[in-house]
Amino acid sequence: MPLRDLLLGLFVIAIWALNIIVIKVGVAELPPLLMTTLRFMLVAALLVPFYPVARVQLPFLLLLSVTFGSLHFALLFIGLEHAEAGTGALLVQMGTPFATLLAVIFLKEKLGPKRIAGLLLSFAGVVVLAGGPTLPSPLPLAILLCSAMGWAVSQLLIKRGPPIAPMALAGWMALFAVPQVALGSWLFESGQWQAMQQATWLGWGAMIYTAVMSSIVAYGIWYALLRRHPVNRVVPMTLLVPVLAVGLGALLMGDSLGVHKLVGGGLVIAGIALIVIRFRRRPRPA
């Protein structure tokens, strides 16, 4: 990969790692479902007018708005309100093992020894994390793992769904997710108007960052890289996201770096690496 594209990839990784920290800052001032609603409204306003889709694609986008918008993003914002940034980032990475298992169950994909080892390492990492003091209480833990499952289901839907331009998918998914998440905020949260009035530039800046930088700028660059290079050269860079998020959480948020987080996180990342990285066999010399 040329140096320019490598630096662009690392820039995207930095955006996504910082996004975890930014969400933590945002939900400290705005209720999480309200912040998610505002985020989707901004994404939809910036993308939908410029990326039309066919009417036949709308049911698929509506379904994706449930799994990706409500289940993944909304639950991620709720879970991060009650979890350390680094721990939350590690737990959400379980979306990759979940997607692998779902592909085996529903798409009849086969598991080789390497991927089985990756799954075992990933789940062992969560067990190690569970023994440490940084793991959130059972409810936020379940919420973050459900968020990871929402991401996994969404990846399978995208894989099997109609071909839609990434920015169109992001915009219309956000548009359909707005009423769902807004209804959740209305039912389960209170003081939304007061929170918006009292939010500082940090809260509003966090919402704008998650919408513009994480959803539009980062994904725009990322899909451009995927068009120019083999998936196996681009996707493994995402393994740096939880590593950087853990470091930023400790540096910027004062999160702890205990042995359970380091060992458990290392196992999760190692397991995911075995799942996503394909190793080529060297040809034997004649």
Side-chain angles (χ1 to χ4, degrees), residues 182-197:
L183 178 62
S185 178
W186 180 66
L187 291 174
F188 301 111
E189 295 176 339
S190 60
Q192 292 92 329
W193 180 246
Q194 292 86 347
M196 287 192 291
Q197 288 180 314

Side-chain angles (χ1 to χ4, degrees), residues 155-172:
Q155 301 313 299
L156 264 66
L157 289 175
I158 293 172
K159 186 174 182 178
R160 288 296 193 183
I164 302 175
M167 292 295 100
L169 188 148
W172 286 88

Side-chain angles (χ1 to χ4, degrees), residues 97 100-101 111-125 266-276 279:
T100 302
L101 289 175
L111 278 179
K114 182 173 71 70
R115 297 175 77 191
I116 292 175
L119 289 171
L120 293 176
L121 280 177
S122 299
F123 287 105
L267 289 172
V268 169
I269 295 167
I272 296 171
L274 286 177
I275 293 172
V276 302
F279 300 101

Side-chain angles (χ1 to χ4, degrees), residues 57-96:
Q57 296 171 334
L58 295 181
F60 170 75
L61 290 166
L62 178 60
L63 174 61
L64 196 65
S65 72
V66 176
T67 62
F68 212 6
S70 295
L71 288 181
H72 173 59
F73 281 110
L75 293 183
L76 173 64
F77 279 51
I78 295 172
L80 284 176
E81 185 182 21
H82 304 283
E84 287 189 358
T87 304
L90 290 168
L91 291 173
V92 172
Q93 291 298 310
M94 292 302 294
T96 299

Side-chain angles (χ1 to χ4, degrees), residues 137-215:
S137 57
L139 182 57
L141 169 63
I143 289 173
L144 286 169
L145 290 178
C146 286
S147 172
M149 181 60 75
W151 181 91
V153 172
S154 301
Q155 301 313 299
L156 264 66
L157 289 175
I158 293 172
K159 186 174 182 178
R160 288 296 193 183
I164 302 175
M167 292 295 100
L169 188 148
W172 286 88
M173 183 275 295
L175 179 66
F176 287 138
V178 167
Q180 302 169 40
V181 185
L183 178 62
S185 178
W186 180 66
L187 291 174
F188 301 111
E189 295 176 339
S190 60
Q192 292 92 329
W193 180 246
Q194 292 86 347
M196 287 192 291
Q197 288 180 314
Q198 297 171 6
T200 67
W201 66 270
L202 285 173
W204 287 107
M207 186 278 294
I208 294 172
Y209 180 96
T210 63
V212 176
M213 295 301 294
S214 179
S215 288

Side-chain angles (χ1 to χ4, degrees), residues 104-128:
V104 171
I105 296 171
F106 294 104
L107 304 183
K108 307 303 180 184
E109 292 187 3
K110 294 183 179 180
L111 278 179
K114 182 173 71 70
R115 297 175 77 191
I116 292 175
L119 289 171
L120 293 176
L121 280 177
S122 299
F123 287 105
V126 173
V127 172
V128 173

